[in-house]
Structure formats: C-alpha cells, structure tokens
Amino acid sequence: MKAFIINIEKLFRLDKKAFDDKKYLCIPLYQREYRWTNEKIYTMLTDIFKSNKYLGNIILDERDDHYEIVDGQQRLTTLYLLLICIYNHYSGNSLEQKSISKYIYNGNSKCILINDTVGEYISKTDNLISVQIEDDNDVYFQKNDFLRAYNTINQYLIKLENLENIKSLKNKLINCELLVLINETDDSTHSVEQIFLDINEKSQHLEVEDIFKGHCFEVFSSEFYQQLRDKWTKIKKCSAIFQQFGYKDTSDYIYLYLLENININMPSDLVVDGKHYLSDKTMDDINTLISDMISYGESIEAFYDNVNRSDYRFVDICKNAEKYKTTNYHELLKIMYNQMITYNNAIYQKLPLFFFINYLFQNEDIIASISFNDFRKITTNLYVYSALFVCSKGRKSKKIIDETIKNALTGGNDRIKNTVNAVQNLRAYYVDDFSLKPKGMAAEMLMFIYSVTDFYTSKDNWINNIYLTENNYTIEHFIFPKIKSKRVYWKSEGNSFPIELPSSLNSSKNRTINLLIMEKDLNNSIDRDDIVCKIEAIEDWYSARKTSVPIHIKSRIDYIKSMDDYKALVDMKNGEYEEDEIKEKYLKFVDSYFSSEIEDEIINHIVQDFRNSFI
C-alpha cells in the first residue's frame, strides 16, 4: 500500500512523483452512481471558499496506465465539475482558461477523470466545455444528476459576482489537500480494503452498497477481483432497472433482496448481532449470494420486458397459455403486472410478487405444471393485494411484509395449489381490512377500486376489465365540476340557466364521493349538466347500448335518487318554478350531498360494494 498527502493541483495533474506515469483517474462500472445533493455541493464549495482545506481521503486501485477510484468519486466528480465551471466562467480569457485546462485534460487532450458509467460526459466547443451525456451511455441513469450538479455549481459561481472571487476560489481549491491511499498492483495484502471499511463503516460515511461491496472485496482474494468487479457491475445494472420500480438505489436493491430472500428481520444497516451480515461469509458464500442477486434482478427485468411486448402470451410460464390467445386474458394480465411492478407509492408489497416471478423463472418444474387458470388466479389475487397494501396502515413498516407465498412455493407438495390458497387468503385479509379515504385518492387507485367493484367475478377469481385512461376512461366530477367557473346548467322544458356553485365547496370537487369513472365520450356529453339531466343521460347511454350501468355508478345514482333534496329537483323539472327557487333548491341538494353524514354513508356504500365483489 502506498499513502501520501497531495493537493488538488498535483492530483488532477497526476504529478509523476506521486503517481508514476499514469494517464488518468477512472470511475469503473462497478462503482456507485453520482448522487451528491445540492446541499452537499454547496457545503463543500462554501468551505473551500472560506479557506483551502483538507478534503478527506481517497482510495485508488492501481491499473496499467491509470487508477480506479475505490472511494472518493463523489468528491472528485464534484471538484472536476467545479473546475469545468470555473473554466467556462473565464470565457474570453484564453490564458486563464489554459491555466485551468491542465487540470481537466492530460497532455494527450484526454479527460483526467474518466467515468465508465456515463461514457464521454464533457464536450469542448470553442472556449466552452459542456456536460453532455448520451442516453445510450448512461448505464445507471445519472444524466440528470450530473446536469443538476453542474447547474448548482454554476449558480454558486454566479453568486460570487465577479472573476476576482472566482479566482480566489480556484486558488484555494487547487491548494486543498487529500490523503491518497493506493492499492498497488503487487500488493498482496488487503490493507486498503480494511482501511476503507474502518474509516467508512464505523463512522457511517457510506451507504449500505459501499459497505457491502467493501466487505466483498475484503473477503475475496485479489486473484478473483476482476470476477467480483464484473458481477458487481451486473448488480448495479439490475438496481438501475429497479429504480423504475420505485427502488431508490443499489443500497435499496441489496437490502430488499436480503429482506425477502434471506431474513425478514434483517436490519437496514445489515448488522446482525453486532456483526455485518457478510463478516463471517466465505468467498463461495458471497459468490453464490451475488450470483443469486443478479439472477433475481435479471429474471424480473426479463419478465417486465416481456409484459411490455404486444406479442407476449405467457407461454414461457404456462404451457397451455397458447389455448387462450384469442381472449383478452393476456392483455389484462399484462396490465396487472405493469401496474404492480411500477406503482411506486409502496415497495414492500412488491416483494412477494418479485419472489413469485423469480421463483417461476428459476424452477422449470413449476413452469411445466402450472396451468394458465391457476396463473390467472394467483396474478389476480396478487393484483388486489398489491393495490390494497398501498391503502393499508403501516405500509412503510417491514413488519407488514408477507411471506405466505414464499412459504407456499418453497415448502412441501402441491406447491401450486398451496400458492393459490395462500394468495387468496392474503387478498381476503386486505379486503376485510379495506377502508377508503374521503379525499385525495390517486386516480389509478380509484380506477382500481371501481374496476374490482364493476368487473371482478369471484367464481373465476378474475377481473374481466380494468379502467385505464389510455383505454378511453376518465374521471367524472359528478356533483361539483372540475372547471374553474364552478357552474352547472339547469335544463327543463323552455328553461335553461346557469347555477353558480359556492366557492366554499371548491375543495369538494376532489372528494371521493364526487368522483366516478366513465368513458370519455359519456363524460364529455354530460359535462356541465345539472344532476337530474346527468343521471338521465347516463341511464340512456347504457340503455342504448343494451348494457347495465356499472355497479359503482348505479350505486351512486341509486343513493342520490333516495335523497329528498334530489326528489325535489326532479319535481321541479315538471313544474313551473322561479329561477331563484330552483337555484336555492339545487344549492341545498349540493350542500346536503357533501355533508359529513352523507359522505360517510356513501363511503360505506363504496367499501361495501367493493367487498361484495368477492362474495
């Protein structure tokens, strides 16, 4: 191991006395993403501007013509972006820019700081250097973080107001010092890895990912390092895909995998009985664990890619799925899986789903024996469970993570039958516990609730239609319109006029009892009609199509028809009344509908209709 203190000027020029004849620094693929917050960036810039300071430790691995950064890439990337930003602020000052350029490019006009996770990320045009990351090269989706960091630094420099202050910052920056630890090519010890863990784990400077990776490298013999790096790169690629599914980062990926597959009581820092989970593991143990993590992520990614293909029919999972290719079953299954995988308001409910998908991919005997009908039952009940989990209390507690599906799949005989029963029981538990928020329901959640209410058939364990905006469905603001004018139009024979609804009820337009799901054409046709006309138009619409009014709409209509204030409005359609009298009665009906007593009753009706679907 080699160790020395060096300033930023000599670091970014790769001073030959310290760094031999290396050409550049490199952030390899197996390293974590750039994730520094604006606050961290501002803090470091402010500290440097006050006085040149000690910036901590960096750890490097020696390679043939360069060094790989083991620890310190967040700081070094930020400092590198700062130098680029300072260079741009000296636009028009060629000598000043030339003096800064030597910290950005080496003698061969190549970048001093290479980043394999984003490819070529800076581009020089005339006297400016821009941060440009091509999407195809952005392995871990960091483009926006790089641009955000650069813009944050740029705004800081703008606030310095003049070049004199910027020059002062530059001079202090290049004199800041770092402790550099280098793991040399012929170093047979693990001293750097031990220092890395000692510095970072005990002081909690690093994330779960970094400490986990540090333990991996500490346990592995150096002859297997490249194999470990290659596998770690695959883990990071999996975790980048899982960020689309609501996972925050690689730390999240590691922790949630261990939680579901190893130990449901795993602490978030992976420290069990005072020791890190990996501390007593052998190379073979860790190699198997990492391989399983990769297989898990790749299985779920492959499945997700499949459900987004128009020609996918689940035949790789169910041998008899081809029989049903002329039905809409496949499309509905794909919608369910898409929603379950991508819905981001909760994560723990996805763990049984991901275990199920991965288990199918890893066990050919299950694939050979599972029928399409059983697969549909499992999927439908998982879908209901997944959505209701998001509504449940304590959904952010890992104590609520369910293992019954995992136990059914991995234990004993009749695994498919046991899994069907397990997922039905899981769904039944959440249905029994289901409650509804009177306000603030997300559109996709409301569409799920009404899809189940209207289309679930309990004898088949199946939802034969799902409300989706892309399938021409939309939210209808039934009593209180969404439009800014807050007007409805009363229509009766020979009489039509607007009724202005009170601003005091403006918040009512997004209350659950005001929202229904309808075809867009129907929604548009009843737009601002008064409630009596709306109800007649809805009933006529479905009658003309020889179909029943959907349960959730009919239930609401039936309740409104039972209200005395509504009956009074119906009577007014058939008689001669003054405008003011009609307006007064209409506002009385609206006020009554949004009263807390009636709201509670309607909410109870919605919940009961939902539960009745499963009887």
Side-chain angles (χ1 to χ4, degrees):
M1 184 187 74
K2 187 176 179 181
F4 51 85
I5 291 176
I6 197 169
N7 64 22
I8 295 297
E9 178 177 22
K10 290 182 178 180
L11 172 68
F12 278 119
R13 296 193 70 183
L14 289 176
D15 182 75
K16 289 186 178 181
K17 290 182 181 180
F19 297 107
D20 301 325
D21 198 26
K22 305 302 182 187
K23 300 292 189 292
Y24 60 94
L25 302 168
C26 178
I27 299 167
L29 277 172
Y30 69 86
Q31 282 292 11
R32 68 193 298 240
E33 306 90 323
Y34 180 75
R35 285 290 183 264
W36 257 27
T37 63
N38 292 347
E39 183 181 4
K40 281 190 174 182
I41 294 169
Y42 259 95
T43 299
M44 186 169 76
L45 295 178
T46 302
D47 287 348
I48 293 171
F49 187 65
K50 287 178 181 177
S51 63
N52 52 303
K53 58 172 287 182
Y54 174 67
L55 295 176
N57 317 308
I58 63 169
I59 301 176
L60 308 175
D61 264 349
E62 186 177 33
R63 295 289 176 261
D64 291 340
D65 64 343
H66 67 280
Y67 293 103
E68 286 187 350
I69 300 170
V70 175
D71 183 35
Q73 65 124 325
Q74 304 284 329
R75 278 166 293 150
L76 293 183
T77 299
T78 305
L79 295 173
Y80 195 63
L81 292 173
L82 172 57
L83 287 166
I84 292 168
C85 209
I86 292 173
Y87 176 94
N88 289 337
H89 273 265
Y90 274 113
S91 177
N93 295 271
S94 58
L95 293 178
E96 293 284 2
Q97 285 192 320
K98 188 175 181 180
S99 73
I100 300 167
S101 181
K102 63 192 176 188
Y103 308 123
I104 300 171
Y105 299 100
N106 61 24
N108 299 319
S109 299
K110 300 294 184 182
C111 294
I112 294 289
L113 183 61
I114 303 294
N115 191 324
D116 288 343
T117 71
V118 292
E120 294 287 336
Y121 64 102
I122 65 172
S123 175
K124 187 175 180 182
T125 306
D126 298 328
N127 57 355
L128 291 175
I129 300 174
S130 58
V131 177
Q132 294 181 339
I133 298 174
E134 298 294 329
D135 289 339
D136 290 344
N137 298 328
D138 191 8
V139 181
Y140 306 135
F141 311 115
Q142 301 171 85
K143 179 178 179 178
N144 290 336
D145 284 305
F146 269 78
L147 294 175
R148 173 187 54 77
Y150 177 84
N151 290 331
T152 299
I153 294 167
N154 190 50
Q155 288 300 313
Y156 184 89
L157 296 188
I158 289 171
K159 288 180 180 179
L160 292 181
E161 296 181 346
N162 56 58
L163 289 178
E164 184 179 343
N165 285 335
I166 291 175
K167 188 169 186 176
S168 175
L169 174 64
K170 184 203 80 170
N171 290 336
K172 290 172 182 175
L173 166 63
I174 62 176
N175 285 304
C176 288
E177 292 183 326
L178 291 153
L179 170 62
V180 178
L181 305 170
I182 299 178
N183 197 20
E184 299 176 285
T185 305
D186 58 355
D187 195 345
S188 61
T189 72
H190 283 173
S191 52
V192 169
E193 282 72 30
Q194 289 162 0
I195 291 170
F196 173 85
L197 290 171
D198 190 54
I199 291 171
N200 293 299
E201 185 175 19
K202 291 180 181 177
S203 59
Q204 294 297 305
H205 285 172
L206 291 187
E207 301 290 334
V208 166
E209 168 193 353
D210 302 291
I211 296 172
F212 189 93
K213 180 176 62 181
H215 277 286
C216 291
F217 277 94
E218 184 184 31
V219 172
F220 265 60
S221 296
S222 57
E223 62 189 295
F224 300 116
Y225 271 11
Q226 192 53 51
Q227 175 185 330
L228 180 57
R229 289 187 185 99
D230 292 342
K231 287 197 169 187
W232 194 260
T233 298
K234 289 181 179 179
I235 282 182
K236 290 197 64 62
K237 287 181 178 178
C238 289
S239 72
I241 295 297
F242 271 59
Q243 287 173 38
Q244 301 176 69
F245 310 151
Y247 284 46
K248 294 193 295 292
D249 48 29
T250 307
S251 294
D252 230 17
Y253 181 81
I254 294 168
Y255 174 56
L256 291 170
Y257 174 85
L258 295 175
L259 206 60
E260 174 67 13
N261 294 277
I262 305 297
N263 182 356
I264 195 72
N265 297 312
M266 181 73 70
S268 58
D269 61 0
L270 311 189
V271 175
V272 181
D273 297 328
K275 296 188 300 183
H276 190 275
Y277 174 69
L278 295 182
S279 61
D280 58 352
K281 300 292 186 289
T282 66
M283 279 194 290
D284 290 288
D285 292 335
I286 291 176
N287 188 56
T288 299
L289 175 63
I290 291 177
S291 296
D292 289 345
M293 278 186 179
I294 294 166
S295 178
Y296 173 83
E298 289 178 345
S299 295
I300 292 159
E301 179 188 357
F303 180 79
Y304 180 66
D305 288 342
N306 281 340
V307 298
N308 282 285
R309 282 174 35 214
S310 60
D311 62 339
Y312 183 60
R313 292 293 182 269
F314 299 95
V315 292
D316 57 329
I317 291 174
C318 307
K319 299 306 179 185
N320 68 332
E322 191 69 27
K323 289 182 182 179
Y324 301 89
K325 64 182 179 181
T326 60
T327 69
N328 71 338
Y329 295 167
H330 306 96
E331 292 309 311
L332 289 169
L333 284 170
K334 285 191 275 189
I335 290 168
M336 290 181 201
Y337 278 112
N338 237 313
Q339 290 187 358
M340 283 191 281
I341 291 172
T342 59
Y343 196 78
N344 290 340
N345 275 21
I347 297 298
Y348 290 154
Q349 94 281 8
K350 297 184 184 186
L351 300 186
L353 167 70
F354 287 162
F355 186 93
F356 173 63
I357 293 170
N358 182 57
Y359 195 84
L360 289 178
F361 271 77
Q362 305 306 323
N363 292 271
E364 292 184 3
D365 58 326
I366 288 285
I367 290 175
S369 57
I370 189 169
S371 72
F372 190 67
N373 278 335
D374 282 336
F375 181 69
R376 281 200 305 149
K377 289 178 182 178
I378 293 170
T379 301
T380 307
N381 286 286
L382 266 176
Y383 176 65
V384 175
Y385 151 74
S386 180
L388 292 183
F389 184 102
V390 176
C391 300
S392 65
K393 297 176 183 178
R395 61 186 174 85
K396 293 184 179 180
S397 169
K398 66 182 181 184
K399 292 179 181 179
I400 206 169
I401 298 172
D402 186 80
E403 288 195 291
T404 56
I405 296 170
K406 174 182 174 181
N407 295 336
L409 282 169
T410 56
N413 299 319
D414 295 324
R415 284 176 292 171
I416 296 170
K417 181 180 178 181
N418 291 341
T419 303
V420 172
N421 291 335
V423 75
Q424 285 177 340
N425 291 334
L426 180 61
R427 178 265 297 162
Y429 171 81
Y430 277 87
V431 168
D432 289 343
D433 199 45
F434 170 61
S435 60
L436 197 61
K437 292 191 295 185
K439 187 179 180 182
M441 292 292 296
E444 58 265 37
M445 185 54 59
L446 205 59
M447 287 189 171
F448 156 76
I449 291 166
Y450 290 149
S451 294
V452 170
T453 300
D454 295 343
F455 304 122
Y456 184 87
T457 55
S458 58
K459 67 183 180 67
D460 297 322
N461 265 256
W462 182 239
I463 302 172
N464 56 41
N465 192 14
I466 295 175
Y467 289 126
L468 296 171
T469 53
E470 53 265 41
N471 287 352
N472 208 38
Y473 289 104
T474 189
I475 289 180
E476 156 66 14
H477 292 74
F478 199 42
I479 306 297
F480 200 97
K482 190 178 180 181
I483 52 175
K484 290 183 180 179
S485 66
K486 298 183 284 293
R487 288 177 183 168
V488 296
Y489 287 85
W490 177 267
K491 296 176 183 177
S492 58
E493 191 171 339
N495 199 3
S496 179
F497 53 85
I499 299 175
E500 193 81 25
L501 299 178
S503 297
S504 59
L505 289 176
N506 193 43
S507 63
S508 299
K509 63 186 176 185
N510 289 320
R511 298 196 77 80
T512 302
I513 65 169
N514 192 46
L515 305 175
L516 299 174
I517 308 298
M518 291 183 183
E519 290 92 335
K520 287 181 182 176
D521 291 343
L522 173 56
N523 177 271
N524 292 335
S525 71
I526 62 176
D527 193 19
R528 304 189 205 179
D529 290 354
D530 67 71
I531 187 60
V532 180
C533 287
K534 272 190 176 185
I535 288 176
E536 289 177 354
I538 290 168
E539 292 175 332
D540 290 345
W541 168 280
Y542 287 101
S543 176
R545 288 158 179 76
K546 295 181 171 57
T547 58
S548 301
V549 178
I551 294 170
H552 88 276
I553 298 176
K554 186 176 187 304
S555 179
R556 195 74 50 85
I557 288 174
D558 287 347
Y559 186 90
I560 291 172
K561 283 182 175 181
S562 72
M563 293 173 62
D564 290 337
D565 290 319
Y566 175 79
K567 293 174 184 177
L569 295 179
V570 173
D571 290 340
M572 286 183 161
K573 289 284 184 177
N574 303 317
E576 293 187 10
Y577 295 88
E578 295 294 327
E579 247 184 62
D580 289 345
E581 190 176 358
I582 294 172
K583 288 180 179 179
E584 182 183 348
K585 289 288 186 183
Y586 199 91
L587 294 178
K588 186 172 182 293
F589 159 75
V590 172
D591 192 56
S592 175
Y593 184 81
F594 288 110
S595 67
S596 57
E597 295 82 4
I598 286 183
E599 181 175 55
D600 288 345
E601 286 188 30
I602 295 175
I603 289 290
N604 287 335
H605 275 289
I606 296 171
V607 170
Q608 196 55 52
D609 286 341
F610 179 84
R611 289 177 179 161
N612 287 345
S613 304
F614 300 96
I615 297 174

